[in-house]
Amino acid sequence: MESNRDEAERCIEIAETAFRHKQLEKAVRFLEKAQRLFPTSKAQALIDAVTQNGQPSSTNHQSKCNESTGPRHRRGGDEPSSASGDKGGDSGKPYSPDQLEAVKRIKHCKNYYEILGLSKDATEEDLKKAYRKLALKFHPDKNHAPGATDAFKAIGNAYAVLSNADKRKRYDQFGEEKVHTSQHGHSHSDFHRGFEADISPEDLFNMFFGGGFPSSNVHVYSNGRMRYTHQQRPERREQQRDGGLALLVQLMPILILIIVSALSQLIVSSPTYSLSLRPSVGHTHKRQTELLKVPYYVSAHFSEEYTGMNLKNVERNVEDDYISSLRNNCWKEKQQKEGLLYRARYFGDGELYQRAQKMGTPSCARLSEVQASLHG
């Protein structure tokens, strides 16, 4: 029953909107639905007021509204009906029977592999393809069926855990056991509590489809409403902070030894060069490699210490580091462009598609130039 609380509250909100528009029959229908999902004194009081007076009293209505714990960010108001006969789900927007069945399937899944529709020997590419398809299908802006936001969160959590090699290994060892344990007395959203993602569903979605990389304070969907990530699970976050402090105190001697060792290594041998200006280590003098003309920075005494073959070896390392950096940046640029194009095609967004088409990949262009120079 506890898992239906949010759905019941949404029904009450729709009913209150119906009251304001003099749609008493619709209001009563949603209040009765709210009572079936999760009985509350608020819904019952509104039903009694309509039954006795034909409308809720202004005093009672205002006091009940004030019981809300804070502002609600909703993407819709009344429940519209579509020409196809679809019913209104999350935020009162229409949804299809297929969308509702898809949400039910996710809710009945017993493990992360089943959520993504994959076997345990799925590759990293299989995980990406499955997540890309399901995330677009269940995103709150696309699917408004009841429970779609929870399904979207479950899909993101499944991918985030299984795409992490260490977490996937631990999940394969202990995940099934946690699933069977949680089936007694816990809701679907509780299973795999020990295997949760380190990133919010919206952040993960944005990384895949060109919305940018995670920030420390972004909006995420939770049970159909928006809130900030820093507000999630305050009790759990407090427990984590307490446990982390105790662990830090225990590890302090080891950390001190590691820091002292690292500092001594830095004092003994600082890096020979940097690809960017680094005054903190004395790399303030700019040079270029002879072959590819790659800029790099060295200390004031570099020319005295490195000549002949030693200088050639240093410049070879500089160019290798530079090419590796270009490859990494090129991959990121292609991923972002591909994600935007995929998202634009799926949602039929012509403006986004044009913007994605015009998006440049400067690192890839520079990498091609460098490879042509090496093989030309």
Side-chain angles (χ1 to χ4, degrees):
M1 290 292 287
E2 187 68 23
S3 60
N4 294 330
R5 179 193 293 270
D6 294 301
E7 185 67 23
E9 289 180 359
R10 283 196 292 275
C11 290
I12 293 174
E13 290 176 359
I14 295 174
E16 290 173 341
T17 303
F19 280 135
R20 290 194 291 272
H21 291 83
K22 308 299 184 183
Q23 300 172 335
L24 299 183
E25 183 179 349
K26 178 180 178 180
V28 171
R29 186 169 74 251
F30 274 94
L31 288 172
E32 290 174 348
K33 180 180 178 181
Q35 286 296 81
R36 289 195 300 271
L37 290 169
F38 190 87
T40 61
S41 57
K42 178 179 179 179
Q44 188 59 51
L46 291 173
I47 292 174
D48 294 342
V50 174
T51 304
Q52 295 174 7
N53 308 321
Q55 63 179 9
S57 64
S58 58
T59 303
N60 181 59
H61 179 67
Q62 184 66 32
S63 65
K64 293 300 180 180
C65 288
N66 289 339
E67 291 178 4
S68 174
T69 58
R72 300 179 184 274
H73 302 270
R74 303 175 58 224
R75 295 190 300 276
D78 292 349
E79 178 191 44
S81 59
S82 63
S84 61
D86 292 345
K87 297 181 179 180
D90 286 359
S91 301
K93 293 184 178 180
Y95 61 90
S96 68
D98 290 341
Q99 288 178 323
L100 184 60
E101 286 301 315
V103 170
K104 289 180 179 179
R105 184 194 72 79
I106 295 294
K107 285 190 172 184
H108 286 89
C109 290
K110 297 181 176 62
N111 59 65
Y112 286 156
Y113 292 101
E114 191 175 347
I115 288 175
L116 297 178
L118 300 172
S119 60
K120 286 193 174 183
D121 58 354
T123 64
E124 184 177 353
E125 190 62 29
D126 294 333
L127 291 171
K128 287 182 179 180
K129 288 181 180 178
Y131 173 77
R132 194 186 296 273
K133 177 181 178 182
L134 293 173
L136 289 170
K137 183 177 181 181
F138 287 91
H139 192 277
D141 290 340
K142 185 76 174 179
N143 190 327
H144 306 293
T149 48
D150 287 333
F152 177 72
K153 289 165 61 180
I155 292 164
N157 208 46
Y159 174 79
V161 170
L162 296 182
S163 61
N164 182 300
D166 293 335
K167 287 192 174 185
R168 181 175 181 176
K169 182 178 180 180
R170 288 192 291 112
Y171 177 77
D172 289 342
Q173 291 177 340
F174 307 111
E176 293 294 334
E177 180 180 345
K178 285 183 177 289
V179 173
H180 296 311
T181 303
S182 65
Q183 286 176 347
H184 303 284
H186 296 280
S187 68
H188 171 79
S189 61
D190 287 335
F191 80 71
H192 306 310
R193 182 166 293 279
F195 296 96
E196 296 178 338
D198 297 325
I199 185 173
S200 74
E202 281 296 312
D203 281 340
L204 181 61
F205 184 87
N206 288 337
M207 287 177 65
F208 258 81
F209 299 104
F213 287 85
S215 62
S216 60
N217 186 24
V218 293
H219 287 90
V220 296
Y221 289 98
S222 177
N223 296 326
R225 297 195 294 273
M226 291 181 76
R227 58 177 176 167
Y228 288 98
T229 53
H230 63 71
Q231 295 174 333
Q232 295 179 8
R233 298 190 185 99
E235 297 89 352
R236 184 169 171 230
R237 291 169 69 92
E238 188 65 34
Q239 292 173 0
Q240 287 178 339
R241 281 197 295 269
D242 294 341
L245 182 60
L247 181 61
L248 181 61
V249 171
Q250 293 177 1
L251 295 177
M252 187 63 72
I254 300 175
L255 291 175
I256 292 174
L257 288 175
I258 294 174
I259 292 171
V260 170
S261 176
L263 288 175
S264 64
Q265 289 294 324
L266 288 175
I267 293 172
V268 172
S269 58
S270 59
T272 307
Y273 63 88
S274 301
L275 293 179
S276 59
L277 184 66
R278 293 182 62 191
S280 60
V281 293
H283 293 166
T284 56
H285 293 262
K286 186 176 181 181
R287 293 175 61 94
Q288 279 189 337
T289 61
E290 183 178 355
L291 179 61
L292 298 178
K293 308 301 180 186
V294 176
Y296 65 104
Y297 294 83
V298 296
S299 65
H301 304 291
F302 178 83
S303 299
E304 301 172 6
E305 299 175 5
Y306 293 91
T307 58
M309 285 304 298
N310 287 336
L311 178 59
K312 289 185 178 181
N313 289 334
V314 169
E315 292 196 346
R316 188 181 300 115
N317 291 334
V318 169
E319 291 174 347
D320 288 344
D321 289 346
Y322 180 68
I323 291 173
S324 295
S325 177
L326 285 178
R327 285 199 181 101
N328 289 333
N329 291 333
C330 176
W331 181 85
K332 290 178 182 177
E333 291 167 359
K334 285 182 176 179
Q335 283 290 101
Q336 188 175 20
K337 184 171 183 177
E338 179 185 347
L340 280 176
L341 288 170
Y342 194 98
R343 188 175 186 178
R345 285 194 293 266
Y346 189 88
F347 287 105
D349 191 332
E351 182 180 349
L352 179 62
Y353 185 82
Q354 293 296 327
R355 182 154 55 89
Q357 285 279 46
K358 295 177 181 178
M359 181 180 293
T361 53
S363 296
C364 298
R366 176 57 181 154
L367 181 61
S368 297
E369 294 175 2
V370 170
Q371 291 175 337
S373 299
L374 290 174
H375 300 94

